Amino acid sequence: MKQRRRDLAAINKQGLVNMESNYCYGEGGAGTYSDGKLYTRSNKRGDVNQVLEIFVQHGATEDILIDARPHIGTNKLPQIITAIRETILEAGAEVLFDRKVTDLILSSGKIKGVVVNGEEQVMADAVILATGHSARDIYELLHRKNILVEAKPFALGVRIEHPQAIIDAAQYHCDVRSPFLPPANYSLVEQVEERGVFSFCMCPGGIIAPCATYKEEIVVNGWSPSRRNNPFANSGTVVQINLNDVPGTDPLRMMNFQAEIEKTAFRLGGGDLVAPAQRMVDFVENRLSVDLPKNSYLPGTKSAMLRDTLPDFVFTSLQQALPRFGKKMKGYYTNEAILVGVESRSSSPVRIPRDKETYQHPQVQGLFPCAEGAGYAGGIVSAAIDGINCADAILNCQ
Ligand SMILES: Cc1cc2nc3c(=O)[nH]c(=O)nc-3n(C[C@H](O)[C@H](O)[C@H](O)COP(=O)(O)OP(=O)(O)OC[C@H]3O[C@@H](n4cnc5c(N)ncnc54)[C@H](O)[C@@H]3O)c2cc1C
C-alpha cells in the first residue's frame, strides 16, 4: 500500500504512470483510492447490507449503514483495505503481491491454473477472473486463446468541475451554504436525439484524478475525502456509446476505440499527463478558452478544443445537453466550470460471458468471470456482491 501511495505521488507530481500500480491497479483495485460512494441499485443481485457490514467490521463508520447515500472517502479506504487483507490472511488465504496473470493454463476445456509474470505457475481448479475494466491485456489474452469475449456498450465524455459554492447556491438556493449542511451534489440526465447524456460519480468537495493505466493516455475520474472539504465539485458527464457507433465485428473494437480517444487526449494535452480542458460555455460555443479556471487536477490542464479528442456525436450530444442541464439547475451552465478530457472508463467496453446459473465461462469449466471487468458490476458494492456470488458459485460446485 505504501508503494502504491508513492506511485500515485509520481502520477500526480511528475505525470509518470506505473502500469502495474496506479489509481486503478494495486491492492484493493480501483476501489482503494476511489471516492467510496456506496450507493447502488444492485439490490436484486445480492445483499447490499452484508457488504456495508463488512466495511464497518473493517473500520468504516456505522453511518454508512443508515445513510441514504453512504460515502467513505478516499482518505479512509486504504486502511479498510489493509484490514480486509488481514481478515483474508487470518482465514488461511495467501496474497501474492507483485504477481501479474499473464496466461491461463487450460486442459480439455477446463481451467488448471494461471501463469504469473510469464513463468511461475499457480495451479487451481477454479479461477475468479476479476481484473477490472482496464485490463486490456487480459481481454486480448482471452481473445487470442479463442475464449469468447463480447463487445459491450459503455459511456464516454468529460469530467466537469465547478466551484463547490456554485453547486451549493444552486441546490440550497442560498448565497452561502450553512455549516450544518453538507456540500451539495447533483444528478443530471438528458436525452439528446435518443442518446442518453448523464452525470455520474458526482464528488462534492472533490478532486479530479488522473486514472491512466498505460503510458501516453489520459483518463480522468474523481474522488473526495470523507469530509468532502475541497473547494470544487466534479462529476463524470458522459454520453452513451452503442455497439453500432463503432462499426465492425471485432469483440475488442469498443476497447480499441476507447484506447484511441485516450491517446488522442494525451497528445492534445502535450504529455506528462497534462489533460486537455475547456471552459463550459467555450466548449458549447466551440471556441478555445483564453485561459482556464483554477481546478483540482494535479498534473495540470491545457486549454484545448475538446471536440478534437471526442467523437462528433459525443461532442454534439454534450453541446446540446449542457445548456439544458443549466436550465434544470440555475448556475450550472457557466464559464466558471471546466471540462477535463477524457472520462472514458465509465464501465467495461468488453463483456466476458458466463452461465447465469453456474457463473462459469461457457467454454472454460472452472473460469469465473467476475465484477466490473467482466461486465457484471458498475461500482464498489455491485463488484463486491458479484465477488460473493462467484465465491458461492464455486462452493456450490464442489
Ligand atoms: C478515482 C475513482 C473513483 C471511483 N469512485 C467510486 C465510487 O465512489 N463508488 C463506486 O461504487 N465506484 C467508484 N469507482 C469505481 C470502482 O472503484 C470500481 O467499480 C470497482 O473497484 C470495480 O471493482 P473490480 O473488483 O471489478 O475491479 P478493480 O477494482 O478494477 O480491481 C481489479 C484488480 O485486478 C488487478 N489486475 C488487473 N490485471 C491483472 C493481472 N493481469 N494480474 C493480476 N491482477 C490484475 C488490478 O491490480 C486490480 O487490483 C471509482 C473508480 C475510480 C478509479
Side-chain angles (χ1 to χ4, degrees), residues 25-26 29-31 34-37 100-101 130-132 138 221-222 371-372 379-380 383:
Y25 283 1
S34 73
D35 188 36
K37 286 183 287 295
K100 177 176 177 165
V101 172
T131 41
I138 292 292
N221 205 310
E372 188 160 28
I380 296 165

Side-chain angles (χ1 to χ4, degrees), residues 277-280 282-283 287-293 303-305 335:
Q278 205 166 357
R279 288 180 183 264
M280 185 183 278
D282 292 343
F283 173 85
R287 61 171 178 258
L288 192 70
S289 296
V290 175
D291 58 8
L292 293 173
S303 174
M305 298 292 279
N335 234 5

Side-chain angles (χ1 to χ4, degrees), residues 4 20 23-39 71 99-102 130-135 137-138 201 203 209 211 221-223 370-373 377-384:
R4 193 168 171 195
E20 319 303 345
Y23 273 94
C24 294
Y25 283 1
E27 185 177 17
T32 309
Y33 290 94
S34 73
D35 188 36
K37 286 183 287 295
L38 302 177
Y39 175 71
H71 171 245
R99 309 289 216 293
K100 177 176 177 165
V101 172
T102 48
T131 41
H133 61 22
S134 296
D137 48 349
I138 292 292
C201 187
C203 301
C211 292
N221 205 310
W223 63 268
C370 180
E372 188 160 28
I380 296 165
V381 175
S382 56

Side-chain angles (χ1 to χ4, degrees), residues 324-367:
R324 292 196 215 163
F325 286 166
K327 290 203 174 108
K328 289 181 172 170
M329 202 176 128
K330 201 172 158 234
Y332 173 92
Y333 184 60
T334 167
N335 234 5
E336 284 186 63
I338 184 171
L339 278 58
V340 182
V342 285
E343 179 93 25
S344 50
R345 307 261 176 102
S346 53
S347 69
S348 175
V350 179
R351 174 172 285 110
I352 310 175
R354 70 183 184 195
D355 181 86
K356 273 188 191 149
E357 302 294 323
T358 67
Y359 284 71
Q360 294 176 61
H361 192 282
Q363 294 167 323
V364 186
Q365 200 184 329
L367 181 66

Side-chain angles (χ1 to χ4, degrees), residues 13 28 48 101 160 179 195 201 215-216 256 282 305 340 397:
K13 290 183 187 150
V48 172
V101 172
I160 297 189
R195 204 183 275 281
C201 187
K215 294 179 196 295
E216 308 204 348
N256 294 332
D282 292 343
M305 298 292 279
V340 182
C397 70

Side-chain angles (χ1 to χ4, degrees), residues 191-203:
Q191 283 293 114
V192 177
E193 287 157 20
E194 295 184 19
R195 204 183 275 281
V197 182
F198 56 95
S199 67
F200 85 109
C201 187
M202 200 272 153
C203 301

Side-chain angles (χ1 to χ4, degrees), residues 137-150:
D137 48 349
I138 292 292
Y139 300 131
E140 278 162 359
L141 171 72
L142 295 172
H143 188 44
R144 214 168 41 245
K145 292 181 96 71
N146 290 321
I147 297 173
L148 196 64
V149 293
E150 297 163 353

